[in-house]
Amino acid sequence: MADDTAPRATTNRSTTPGSDLFRDYISSQWAEHPEVLPEPREEAPWAAARRARLSALHRGQRLVVPAGQAKVRSNDCDYPFRAHSGFSHLTGWGADTVPGSVLVLEPAGDGHDATLYFRASAGRDSDEFYANPEIGEFWIGPRPTLAQVGADLGLATRDLADFEAVVGQVDADTLLVREADPDLTRRVDAVRDEADLEAPASELAERVERTDDLARDLSELRLVKDEWEIAQMRRAVAVTGAGFTDVIADLDEIVAHPRGGRLVEGTFNRRARADGNTVGYDTIAASGEHACVLHWTRNDGVVRPGDLILIDAGIELESLYTADITRTLPVDGRFTDVQRLVYEAVLEAADAAFAIVRPGIRFREIHQAAMRVIAERTAEWGFLPVTAEEALQPDAQHHRRYMVHGTSHHLGIDVHDCAAARRELYLDGVLEPGMVFTIEPGLYFQSDDLTVPAEFRGVGVRIEDDIVVTADGAENLSVGIPRTVAEVEAWVARS
Ligand code: GLY
Ligand code: MN
Ligand code: MN
């Protein structure tokens, strides 16, 4: 086993005393910790049903789904840990996942037995709790016990040390989420390589052709959300809306600051943290011409009255489900004529896309519906060297100069959810009730774009909503966050 419990080098700093006397002393005189077992969390039966669906796809195969490890930021400092999305989806363990955990589905009878391996709390008789800054209780807080996590998630649990026996048994019928924990993947492959060396030559060709496609399957398993997930999406959207309202309330301070974009980010993120959540991706606070930079996360611009500010932000809940919302606001509360014209065109594109959403259409048709409006409006304004119909031909696409991104992506536990799903199920896929995705058309006229009149240059608008497909149509989960010109102006004015 890799020595991943050894503390990282901190030799340039004072360290914990190493004498036996100190060790004996600090290990003694601690009160008993009564073990309180929680009720199973609400998500537990939903996660069990997801495991059952995965199990049915892989009869007889051992499935290994690691949560992954914390990633080093620098030296001995890590980024905040976030479990692999597939792991959280199958276990219901979200922001409180213990790093390094692994879910194993072991073939049994017609299905699988699920076991969650994790590093359980260390006793006060070990020196880990005070001497290991990476995982010790004195340093990062206590870990739960095997029984507590077992009760919480409704899963069989075992100590991570026991997972070594599973690694020793991996074979051609073991499927792994390879991307989740690269060190573990290397160790698993090493065991298989050794087995291959011992295999008769006839079997070798088959064995080296490993089909670790579990990441794809886990992405596809998430294409249709269950009821619990849709409820999470509603919550994520609601708290994200509150974050936008907080930003509007702070607009005076934001405008007065030389880096107003940073205050937008800070105010939104404060809402996330104060509610016990975080953000699902780096907040985009793009004012003035920065709105034309699709993923502007530097956020160091000044926020000027008379400009638009494009805010693309989403709060991720402790369950890891995230919203992904964009609103474009007039900083001083009133759209100019040009800003309104552009805004209304983008809104028309969003509404045209939403109008066609229902079970049975193809995902790619949503983008096509939005692009027709974008082509028609930009042609009507005289920006295209061809007609809208000509621009819409696959080899032309002149209007895409002003919107180079796509209109929709699946959304859920990842902001760009289900990314490893096969094209025939995603872009070319047919919509089903329970699918959740964004509709986010935009128009971006770069400040040096000579194809548009001067008054359009530096204007960028995106409107992004989160949509769920229903039995006979669709619901815009974020429709309650102001999105028409009148609603947006009233929203800014109210604050
Ligand atoms: N916030 C990234 C996106 O809208 O896809
Ligand atoms: Mn998006
Ligand atoms: Mn977005």
Side-chain angles (χ1 to χ4, degrees), residues 2 14 18-19 62 68 87 94 110 139 149 158 181 202 248 262 322 327 337 339 348 369 375 389 419 421 427:
S14 58
S19 68
R62 177 186 296 114
F87 172 90
D110 272 355
W139 297 81
V149 173
R158 291 184 70 165
D181 187 335
S202 58
I248 292 175
R262 291 288 166 88
T322 187
R327 290 293 183 260
D337 289 347
Q339 289 167 352
E348 185 188 347
E389 286 309 324
L427 189 60

Side-chain angles (χ1 to χ4, degrees), residues 205-224:
E206 202 186 332
R207 286 194 177 189
V208 292
E209 198 67 34
R210 293 186 185 113
T211 53
D212 282 328
D213 55 358
L214 212 42
R216 185 197 75 191
D217 290 351
L218 298 195
S219 256
E220 293 176 356
L221 203 61
R222 302 203 303 272
L223 281 166
V224 174

